Structures are given as C-alpha cells and as structure tokens.
Amino acid sequence: RSTWAPAQARPCWRWCRILNRRPAGPSPSRSSTVGRAPSPQGVLRVEDEILSESTHEFEMAWHFAEDCKVSLLEGGALVQTESVELQLSWPPETRARCVCGDTNPPRGWISRRFDAMIACPTIVVSGRNLGHWRGVTEVQVNVLSDVRNAR
C-alpha cells in the first residue's frame, strides 16, 4: 500500500512494478529502479536505469487490481476505478500493451488465496537499447471524489 496516497486512492494503488531485462548476448550489466517521493501535486516519478555496453531488451510491468479499467493512450495510460484515476506516462522510446489473464506466457493474474487466480490488467512497457539507458515513468493520482466535491 502507498503511504502517501489519500485513502480514497488505495483501491487502485494495489499495483507493483517489475523491471525485467534480457541481454542480447553475454555482457556484464546491472539495472536499478528508484521511486522518487511524490510532488505536492501527487506525481510519483519512477526512474529506471540499465548500465551495459551491449544491446538489451527490457520490460516494465505495471500490475493493477482486477476492478481497474485500463485505457492505453499515446505515450501513457489512464487507469480508473470508481473513485480514482491514475495517469501514467513512460519513456517515449518504449511501446506498451495491456494484458489480462494471458496464459503464454502467464501474465495479468492476481491470486489472493491458494489455487484461485483472477485476471487483472497489466501494462507491459517494453523497449530495446544499446548501451546505457535511463527512462522515467510518471504516475499522477487524481482522486475523483475530491474533483466531484469541488464542483
């Protein structure tokens, strides 16, 4: 759970982010992911970096709760529940797709108890780079009930 998101935002905050990288050949490399504290406007910055001298393919998977509605946009996505919107934007040199309940490979599933799988939306952002790479993903939180109450 996020400790900084308003209580109304927590239903959509059941997400995790995973960075996978695959070298195209033998190459020493390392990667790092850093989440920056949210700004006063509620923007979380996630910075990914791959240090390598060779070509790498990489994927960033964003997993959301099963009741979230995911819409892919140009360079980002809109993730909605009844009370919260998340707007994501990722590095321009990447491409994204949404999976939900895929079996080969298995992606887009959540299991809250033994032997019970529920399909859930997962955004997979992927790219290919030669040498060092750094990308920033931003997540903007909009609590819809606050917007509706302000009207």
Side-chain angles (χ1 to χ4, degrees):
R1 286 192 183 188
S2 169
T3 56
W4 62 272
Q8 304 94 318
R10 293 210 175 109
C12 211
W13 270 130
R14 291 178 285 171
W15 58 266
C16 66
R17 231 287 275 112
I18 300 168
L19 172 67
N20 294 316
R21 58 185 170 76
R22 293 182 301 279
S27 167
S29 67
R30 69 186 171 121
S31 63
S32 64
T33 301
V34 177
R36 300 286 178 207
S39 68
Q41 296 79 25
V43 177
L44 172 69
R45 289 176 52 91
V46 179
E47 300 173 5
D48 290 295
E49 185 173 31
I50 298 174
L51 301 176
S52 175
E53 299 300 322
S54 67
T55 301
H56 274 71
E57 294 178 359
F58 58 90
E59 291 184 337
M60 298 172 280
W62 294 85
H63 302 267
F64 298 94
E66 65 275 17
D67 56 344
C68 292
K69 177 187 173 199
V70 175
S71 303
L72 290 180
L73 309 170
E74 185 69 33
L78 180 63
V79 180
Q80 299 172 300
T81 65
E82 190 172 297
S83 59
V84 179
E85 278 184 353
L86 300 179
Q87 294 175 322
L88 287 87
S89 62
W90 40 75
E93 66 278 7
T94 59
R95 61 194 175 281
R97 67 190 187 284
C98 186
V99 298
C100 187
D102 284 6
T103 57
N104 191 14
R107 290 187 180 180
W109 295 96
I110 191 167
S111 178
R112 292 200 173 86
R113 58 186 165 81
F114 181 74
D115 205 26
M117 303 281 290
I118 300 169
C120 66
T122 299
I123 298 173
V124 180
V125 180
S126 59
R128 183 177 174 91
N129 74 294
L130 173 62
H132 300 323
W133 176 84
R134 182 176 176 274
V136 175
T137 302
E138 291 188 341
V139 182
Q140 168 73 51
V141 179
N142 299 312
V143 179
L144 300 178
S145 59
D146 288 351
V147 172
R148 290 182 188 134
N149 291 338
R151 292 183 187 161

